[in-house]
Amino acid sequence: MYRLNNLKIVGLLLIALVGCQKLKPTEINIPEYPDLKAFYLSQAEKLSSSSLRKQVRLDDKSEIQSFQFDTLQWEEELSFFKEMNPSQPEYVGVFDKEVKGNEVRFTLKEGEKGILKKLLLVKKGGQYSSISATIHEDKYVYIHHREVEVTLKDEVITSFDIQGYQNVILQDTVRFGINGKVSLK
């Protein structure tokens, strides 16, 4: 009896193994998102030695300054692209992609988590002419929201505008804005 039960078990295992061999491996279709990190690093190279006129606003106070940046300083200045980059491991498969003419829009799917909510890429003549994004972090102690608009000419950044607000628990909401205009050499 004991031997018969063992034979039944071995037989079932062999059937299961043979059945598993006939299954085709499933293909994982990983969506392609633009790599904005590589894009902004290339921009830092292209803008090296270009000047930037930058206006910063915090609530009702404003300040304007001009800067001459090298590549590393441009990388730091354009680091906001890191948060706009959908090509990160945590974003695999979480965006709906919609293409309309020259526009490609990525929208975070309902129920998915991520601070990048929307990304819009506009091309003219096969080159980026503008990139915009909505970035929103909603944590237990703060909310940080930004609307980013980047304008390009011949695929080189000519200006950027960041408008947003931050609300920390038990404090007033702070509104801010950063506007940069690039003078190309």
Side-chain angles (χ1 to χ4, degrees), residues 51-68:
S51 60
L52 174 69
R53 183 176 183 269
K54 184 175 174 180
Q55 179 179 11
V56 179
R57 180 183 49 79
L58 188 60
D59 284 333
D60 59 351
K61 297 175 185 167
S62 181
E63 179 180 309
I64 298 175
Q65 290 188 2
S66 293
F67 302 94
Q68 187 77 29

Side-chain angles (χ1 to χ4, degrees), residues 56-61 142-146 162-177:
V56 179
R57 180 183 49 79
L58 188 60
D59 284 333
D60 59 351
K61 297 175 185 167
Y142 71 89
I143 296 172
H144 193 172
H145 181 88
R146 286 150 290 172
I162 303 170
Q163 301 295 320
Y165 64 88
Q166 185 172 28
N167 186 325
V168 179
I169 194 165
L170 303 175
Q171 294 184 11
D172 291 338
T173 299
V174 176
R175 300 199 179 281
F176 61 88

Side-chain angles (χ1 to χ4, degrees), residues 33-37 39-40 77-88 90-91 95 106 115-121 130-136 146-152 157 159-162:
Y33 300 139
D35 186 0
L36 291 186
K37 180 179 180 185
F39 174 78
Y40 101 82
E77 185 65 33
L78 300 175
S79 65
F80 60 85
F81 271 101
K82 292 177 186 176
E83 295 177 315
M84 293 171 53
N85 189 10
S87 188
Q88 299 179 52
E90 65 265 28
Y91 286 144
F95 290 103
F106 296 92
I115 65 169
L116 179 61
K117 304 300 182 188
K118 293 179 188 172
L119 177 67
L120 175 64
L121 305 167
S130 72
I131 301 171
S132 58
T134 300
I135 302 165
H136 185 87
R146 286 150 290 172
E147 298 287 337
V148 180
E149 178 74 34
V150 179
T151 306
L152 301 102
I157 295 173
S159 67
F160 58 88
D161 187 63
I162 303 170

